[in-house]
Amino acid sequence: MGAITYDMEIPSSIPASKMFKAVVLDADTLIPKIMPQAVKNVEILEGDGGVGTVKLIHFGEGSQYKSVKHRVDAIDTENLTHSYSIIEGDALKGVLDSITYHIKVVPTEDGGCICKNRSIYHTKDNVEISEENIKEGKEKAMVMFKAIEAYLQANPDA
């Protein structure tokens, strides 16, 4: 098994704790609400939302994928970190064992934050992942993050 890692940082004017709450703690209900074409709904299969929880994410009509199973690997609300893995589903395209994401929301001096995201693609039998596939994943993550940011800006009490 091989692994391909990429890092991405996205700055935001939203305070770190508020962004973490939206991107991590409220994501299961918030993303289907603001981006139903991307995520239709999220169903908890086992667990209480904490470490070890397994979720089934049903993608929306605008997605090329049907669903994935997502496992919470770590969550730290004090340090604003979250790790999870995609462990099953058609988004793994038959060439990946899993995809692990490590998210850290870091406060900035201006009251906003930087969302740091490390994605690790665990490939089967040293399969190569194209730069285009990685770029596509980064773009989708950026669109979702910016949609959440726009929602928070438009709904300051959310």
Side-chain angles (χ1 to χ4, degrees):
M1 174 171 73
I4 299 164
T5 302
Y6 77 79
D7 295 315
M8 180 171 65
E9 293 188 3
I10 308 170
S12 174
S13 62
I14 304 294
S17 59
K18 188 171 193 165
M19 183 58 79
F20 182 81
K21 182 178 184 294
V23 169
V24 176
L25 304 178
D26 296 342
D28 294 352
T29 54
L30 185 61
I31 294 171
K33 178 180 175 178
I34 63 174
M35 293 187 72
Q37 73 283 8
V39 176
K40 184 177 178 181
N41 65 3
V42 179
E43 178 183 347
I44 292 183
L45 300 178
E46 57 187 77
D48 60 3
V51 174
T53 296
V54 176
K55 303 174 185 182
L56 182 61
I57 299 171
H58 298 277
F59 293 112
E61 308 257 334
S63 176
Q64 63 191 20
Y65 305 117
K66 185 177 176 185
S67 64
V68 293
K69 277 191 184 171
H70 159 138
R71 181 188 64 228
V72 177
D73 298 324
I75 190 164
D76 183 338
T77 56
E78 197 171 300
N79 292 305
L80 308 180
T81 62
H82 178 230
S83 296
Y84 66 96
S85 297
I86 302 299
I87 55 173
E88 268 181 45
D90 54 356
L92 297 177
K93 302 179 183 182
V95 298
L96 298 169
D97 284 324
S98 63
I99 307 170
T100 301
Y101 299 93
H102 301 287
I103 297 169
K104 181 170 181 60
V105 182
V106 180
T108 55
E109 289 181 13
D110 64 2
C113 66
I114 295 174
C115 186
K116 298 182 177 190
N117 181 9
R118 168 166 282 180
S119 303
I120 306 167
Y121 291 82
H122 301 278
T123 60
K124 294 182 179 185
D125 301 320
N126 293 321
V127 170
E128 292 292 320
I129 304 276
S130 73
E131 274 299 316
E132 191 170 305
N133 282 351
I134 290 174
K135 184 179 176 188
E136 182 182 305
K138 282 182 175 181
E139 287 172 358
K140 286 181 181 178
M142 178 73 79
V143 167
M144 192 168 293
F145 183 86
K146 289 300 181 182
I148 291 169
E149 179 183 52
Y151 175 82
L152 293 175
Q153 289 168 336
N155 298 277
D157 297 328

